[in-house]
Amino acid sequence: MHSHDNGSKRLRKLVAQAVPARPQLPLVHSTDAYLFDEVLTSGQIEPQACNVFVGEALIYTFYGRPSFRPNLAELATTMDHYLPVCLIFKQSFSEEIRRVFPFDTGAFINDFYRSYLHKKMALGDFSLEADLETPGRVVSTFFGTTRSYLQARPDASIELDASQFEAKSYAALIDAKDSNAMDSRGSGIEVQIADSIAIADWVEAAVVPSTFVDSIMGKELRRLNIDVLPYDVHGRMRPNEYFSSITDMCIHYYAKKGMLQEIVG
């Protein structure tokens, strides 16, 4: 057990009581074009040394929403290698889950959420059951519906007991509207995996830069029967500026696949 696994179980118990929201969304994993080329070559997404759970190698995914933004600090560039790639896993994904948190743990460790927490709160206070049903339980508890979660719109009618300290902190975090409000990492449900993931077995679609559609990368994705979802590339943009488009593409892909029929355009 890692030291970050220690903490109160209040939030875990609260979330475990909820009925999972439906439909169940797929997990997504974000990387960049350069690193994804290595994944395609090996055929595996490999766990990487973690700077939060130090001493462990992990794969970070998020429930339905590409909340993690690789190369967040990179400046505007015309180079394709920093452009983001988002992998959408199959809904049938069944590999073992290491941990589930209701937010990006890296942002917690870097004190991005401190305005909404008691100074003694630890990361482990927000650890949830390591189960694929847990993200849906978070959604029903704090967002009400799957669509509201995808749009980062919390349930305004939620009522929490005064002693549910962690739940009240999380509710405040995801409802933040001030100028310093946290980005989507604060409400994106993080799912950690400790084992290699074979992309041919578990990846259903890949959101990629349009410049790679007819490249070796695009051809290999099609050979693996992975749906290729291209987004337009513009000159001199920061890599993280594409994530609004990537998120929209994920949502419309879910709708096209019958998960969210009400938003099919």
Side-chain angles (χ1 to χ4, degrees), residues 6 16 57-58 119 219 261:
N6 298 321
L58 299 167
K119 62 184 179 182
K219 292 174 182 175
Q261 288 290 350

Short mmCIF file of all heavy atoms in Angstrom, two decimals, residues 6 16 57-58 119 219 261:
data_model
loop_
_atom_site.label_atom_id
_atom_site.label_comp_id
_atom_site.label_asym_id
_atom_site.label_seq_id
_atom_site.Cartn_x
_atom_site.Cartn_y
_atom_site.Cartn_z
N ASN A 6 -3.64 6.04 2.32
CA ASN A 6 -4.16 6.21 3.68
C ASN A 6 -5.07 7.42 3.75
O ASN A 6 -4.75 8.48 3.20
CB ASN A 6 -3.00 6.38 4.67
CG ASN A 6 -2.09 5.17 4.71
OD1 ASN A 6 -2.55 4.04 4.64
ND2 ASN A 6 -0.79 5.41 4.80
N ALA A 16 -20.04 4.65 -2.73
CA ALA A 16 -20.35 3.23 -2.90
C ALA A 16 -21.84 2.93 -2.75
O ALA A 16 -22.33 1.91 -3.25
CB ALA A 16 -19.55 2.39 -1.90
N ALA A 57 4.62 2.30 -11.22
CA ALA A 57 4.45 2.60 -12.64
C ALA A 57 2.97 2.44 -12.96
O ALA A 57 2.37 1.40 -12.65
CB ALA A 57 5.30 1.66 -13.50
N LEU A 58 2.37 3.46 -13.57
CA LEU A 58 0.93 3.47 -13.77
C LEU A 58 0.57 3.99 -15.15
O LEU A 58 1.33 4.74 -15.77
CB LEU A 58 0.26 4.36 -12.72
CG LEU A 58 0.41 3.96 -11.25
CD1 LEU A 58 -0.03 5.10 -10.35
CD2 LEU A 58 -0.38 2.69 -10.96
N LYS A 119 -6.80 22.17 5.24
CA LYS A 119 -5.35 22.05 5.08
C LYS A 119 -4.80 20.68 5.50
O LYS A 119 -3.69 20.32 5.11
CB LYS A 119 -4.63 23.16 5.84
CG LYS A 119 -4.85 23.14 7.34
CD LYS A 119 -4.19 24.32 8.01
CE LYS A 119 -4.43 24.34 9.51
NZ LYS A 119 -3.80 25.52 10.15
N LYS A 219 -2.63 4.55 -41.08
CA LYS A 219 -2.77 3.25 -41.75
C LYS A 219 -2.69 2.11 -40.73
O LYS A 219 -3.43 1.11 -40.83
CB LYS A 219 -1.69 3.10 -42.81
CG LYS A 219 -1.87 4.04 -44.00
CD LYS A 219 -0.70 3.97 -44.97
CE LYS A 219 -0.88 4.97 -46.11
NZ LYS A 219 0.30 5.02 -47.01
N GLN A 261 -27.82 9.20 -27.34
CA GLN A 261 -28.63 9.44 -28.53
C GLN A 261 -29.20 10.85 -28.59
O GLN A 261 -29.41 11.41 -29.66
CB GLN A 261 -29.80 8.44 -28.57
CG GLN A 261 -29.37 7.01 -28.90
CD GLN A 261 -28.92 6.85 -30.35
OE1 GLN A 261 -29.09 7.75 -31.16
NE2 GLN A 261 -28.35 5.71 -30.66
#
